[in-house]
Amino acid sequence: MSLLHWAILAPFLMAVFVPLIHKRAAAIHTGWFVLILPVLLFGMFLQYLPVTRENSSITETASWIPSLGINFTAYIDGLSLLFALLITGIGSLVVLYSVFYLSQSKEKLGHFYVYLLMFMGAMLGVVLSDNVITLYMFWEFTSISSFLLIAYWYDRERSRYGALKSMLITVFGGLMMLGGFLVLSLMGDTFSIRELAAQALELNEDPLFGLAMILVLLGAFTKSAQFPFYIWLPDAMEAPTPVSAYLHSATMVKAGIYLVARFSPIFAFSGYWFWIVGAVGLFTMTWASFNAVKQTDLKGILAFSTVSQLGLIMSLLGVGAASLHVESLDDNLFITAVIAAVFHLINHATFKGSLFMAVGIIDHETGTRDIRKLGGLMSLMPVTFTLSVIGAFSMAGLPPFNGFLSKEMFFASMVHLLELDLFQMDTWAILFPVMAWIGSVFTFIYSMMIIFKVFTGRFQPEKLEKKPHEAPVGMLVSPIILALLVVVFGLFPNLLSYSLIQPAAAAIVPSILPPGGQLDVHISFWHGFKPELFMTIGVIVIGILLYKLMPKWIKMYDYMPGKVTLNRFYNASLYAAERGSNAITNAYMTGFIRSYLLYIFVFFIGILGFTMWAKDAFHYDASTAAPIGLYEISLIIALVVTTITILLAKSRLTSIIALGGVGYTVSLFFVIFRAPDLALTQLVIETVSTALFLLCFYHLPKLSRHEEKRRFQAGNALVAAGVGIIVTLLGISAHSSKFFTSINDYYVENTYKKAGGENMVNVILVDFRGFDTLFEIAVLAVAALGIYGLIKLRLEKGGETNENK
């Protein structure tokens, strides 16, 4: 495997050693050891910048399941490198922040960093995988590890609820996405994303294209919290702040953005892609910003703001699809949308990461995130105030911060749609800039709420759980670095133009570039008196006015239907599913083994009987059968007699002896068929099982002589006869219908030659079918551990009961 493969696997490998490190070096915060890995990975990925800067890529393949076309192919281009740098760079700052945020004595740090490293490795696997099956595997790893991170404080009900909610929704989307991948692979006869992109125009003509697109988008929308799937993200805020800063600013929620960007070369030629991605993203942006204003929890505000900002990026990727329908690259106005999406992706990671950390500091030092209890903290926490101003003003789109530049580009992209004469935009184009502007107004309002409701106004110490003070220096380092990046990228945006933005944008729309060509990326503050400038001025003016008048209109949220919400629908669906499954389970789970066997046998008879009848599968050919001699007839008679004896016996001892007789008779069959190993094995099993039966039944009460005579059960007799008939017919048909030459000769020729054994049965079990035997042993081992655990729990419970007495 290559260095790229080891970079993906490194977090998983280190996660294995974290518990040992935590135990052996208990005096040192575990985060210091973990911090080394993301820093090293970040430095390693920086070395690929010269490669991607020229729009080149690197592909490394490790064989996994080559017979199915599934390989562990690591692929790095401008887009994947951007995400890899965000994952490792923000990851490094989050780990550093967590060292000072999470108490070494109170928190289970070993668990936390194992989950965090698992998530980091899974995200790297998602963004660096070229094979869709490998991508899906890592995708679901992100869902599992994020579930563990959100439920880190598992003793809190809301943490468990939020973790389950996020996993159910994102795993559902992941399964839909897998379906889309499989449809795509059937269409293109490959699992490689690059090879599928090379067939984009042909795939667009396939009748399954629309189905594949919808399924892939469901995966992206659920992961990136787009409407209506966004409801999991606010509840995920129950996680510790380092988790929120990592998952919800730069990584997990960006996975859906990455998926849309990565599959744009395949789907973006379709007008449906333009409409679905653009419209869903824009509506999500407006709806989430509108709902963010009514929140009173700082992390709740940031949660809805994250949903809104993700919608903004998603809408830009959708609008950017129009660039594929413009012939001349020089006249392509819509490429601005793709560049803006990449730029805002970077900007959002910086200002939202710093804001999450600042909110974590406020919660850590005051004991609350409720803006109704906060106020007047500017003089008490001046550094946190400064960090919050930089982050919030950038999020609001105010100069001179980086958010202003990408917001201007966002407005410009929406205005350019008025000139688009495709996709019936002559009718609907005006809605895009209007909704973008409305969403931005509410974005401005909730950004101001974060600043002025927390740091200005009346100080209310009586409502705070702690005496507020500035955070320790170590906790401030990470948000300070992010805030500095906000300022630097705002003042000098072209530092990123051709190092990160252009290569990533080129990877999203590669078909519009001539060989060796590059996109023109030049970002500046002043573009003249254009519509986007006036839209920004309008946002500021109307935003200030609405913020000042909030007490007069905020009550409008009270008139929104409280019973008709997506959260209530989710809860009701979950409740109905639980009740329905319980009702079904209670209906058939009677507690009697005979009932369960009856279900199995009836299903067995129905499915196999119908299949044999429908496929005309029964076939009888006695030409290859060996003659039946006196010994076989004698053993068959003995087998029938002992079996009937079991049914008619009135004594347990008689039944056990008859049952043993059945087993010993079968052993004699093996002797006649020249299978001494099987005969010995059968004899041993029968001897041991008969002894165990006798031992168990010895401790049972004797059968009562007055016990009523059991009635003949016609239904049971029919089921028993049906099973016997079906098995007999199957056996006869299998023997009579041989479509392949027997494998016997292969075993005879190769048992000694390839396996070095003289006992054919042993060699088959240990070598030729070694994995089968291994997994059988594993099943027995798991069952044994389960039994041991039950016995141990029972003994412990019994000991506690005796102590209480």
Side-chain angles (χ1 to χ4, degrees), residues 161-293:
Y161 173 81
L164 179 63
K165 193 174 189 178
S166 69
M167 188 173 72
L168 288 177
I169 293 175
T170 56
V171 167
F172 160 77
L175 289 173
M176 296 299 103
M177 182 188 73
L178 175 62
F181 287 168
L182 294 177
V183 173
L184 273 178
S185 66
L186 289 173
M187 293 160 54
D189 195 28
T190 180
F191 289 118
S192 170
I193 300 174
R194 291 176 294 112
E195 293 175 9
L196 289 169
Q199 307 174 53
L201 295 177
E202 292 82 1
L203 295 178
N204 271 254
E205 303 299 325
D206 195 287
L208 295 176
F209 178 80
L211 174 63
M213 180 177 67
I214 294 298
L215 292 175
V216 171
L217 283 178
L218 280 173
F221 288 168
T222 51
K223 197 68 123 184
S224 282
Q226 298 299 286
F227 187 91
F229 306 108
Y230 70 90
I231 56 174
W232 68 265
L233 200 147
D235 288 297
M237 292 297 136
E238 294 297 326
T241 297
V243 174
S244 300
Y246 193 37
L247 270 65
H248 307 134
S249 70
T251 51
M252 179 178 174
V253 292
K254 298 285 178 64
I257 299 292
Y258 171 80
L259 191 71
V260 171
R262 178 56 75 200
F263 282 83
S264 286
I266 300 173
F267 293 116
F269 290 98
S270 170
Y272 293 107
W273 179 268
F274 170 88
W275 274 108
I276 295 173
V277 177
V280 170
L282 197 57
F283 183 81
T284 300
M285 180 241 180
T286 306
W287 176 255
S289 62
F290 174 74
N291 280 277
V293 174

Side-chain angles (χ1 to χ4, degrees), residues 532-551:
E532 52 265 30
L533 176 62
F534 295 110
M535 291 173 73
T536 298
I537 294 172
V539 166
I540 295 172
V541 173
I542 301 300
I544 292 174
L545 184 63
L546 289 176
Y547 178 77
K548 289 291 185 181
L549 299 176
M550 271 188 71

